[in-house]
Structures are given as C-alpha cells and as structure tokens.
Amino acid sequence: MKYITQGSESLDRYQLLISLTRISSEDVKAALKDYLVTGLADTTAAAINGVQLSNFTRALNTLNTVASTIEQIKELDWARLKSVK
C-alpha cells in the first residue's frame, strides 16, 4: 500500500520522514522532495536532480516503508485510546 504519493506531502512531513531513514544523498533527497512535495513526475524529479530512476525508486520505497510504520503506530495508539474511554 502507498502511504506517500506525488505532491501530497508537506515539507515538514517530508523532512521528518527523511530524518527517519539512512538516505544520505543530497541529490536523491532533492528528487524525493521534488516528487513528494512539489509534485513533479518521478522521472522528471529524478532527471533534473541527476539521479538514476532505480535509485530514486529504491529511496521512495524506503520512505513509504517508514510512513507505513508510522501509520501502524498511529493505529495502535488510536485503538488503545479508544479502549480507555
């Protein structure tokens, strides 16, 4: 399941997601930002930042995995809060 999509992330959320990964390439980070925050197409974001599409896709999958974990934590917290009431 996709938890992050093209042009749907705020800059703050994007920066927090990146901080939870080991992605270190500034070019890859810029391409991801252009895709997730600005809304450029994946191929365009990768190309203008000089990133191979395969590396971009790998980094995007990493971010999606982090976002998935965050959503699972939120679901657990929500379920716990509902059971307390």
Side-chain angles (χ1 to χ4, degrees):
M1 174 181 265
K2 285 188 177 182
Y3 291 92
I4 53 176
T5 57
Q6 178 182 358
S8 69
E9 303 302 321
S10 70
L11 181 58
D12 291 336
R13 181 172 163 85
Y14 161 78
Q15 289 172 335
L16 287 170
L17 287 169
I18 282 289
S19 75
L20 297 173
T21 71
R22 297 173 78 189
I23 298 170
S24 60
S25 167
E26 293 302 321
D27 292 339
V28 170
K29 289 184 206 179
L32 289 167
K33 179 181 167 285
D34 286 344
Y35 175 74
L36 294 169
V37 178
T38 307
L40 295 180
D42 55 356
T43 53
T44 304
I48 66 171
N49 288 287
V51 174
Q52 291 184 354
L53 189 56
S54 61
N55 292 339
F56 172 86
T57 302
R58 187 178 315 112
L60 183 60
N61 288 338
T62 297
L63 274 185
N64 191 62
T65 300
V66 169
S68 171
T69 301
I70 291 168
E71 290 303 318
Q72 290 173 18
I73 291 168
K74 287 165 52 176
E75 288 175 15
L76 289 173
D77 289 348
W78 179 250
R80 185 180 53 83
L81 288 173
K82 285 176 62 175
S83 69
V84 171
K85 291 182 178 183

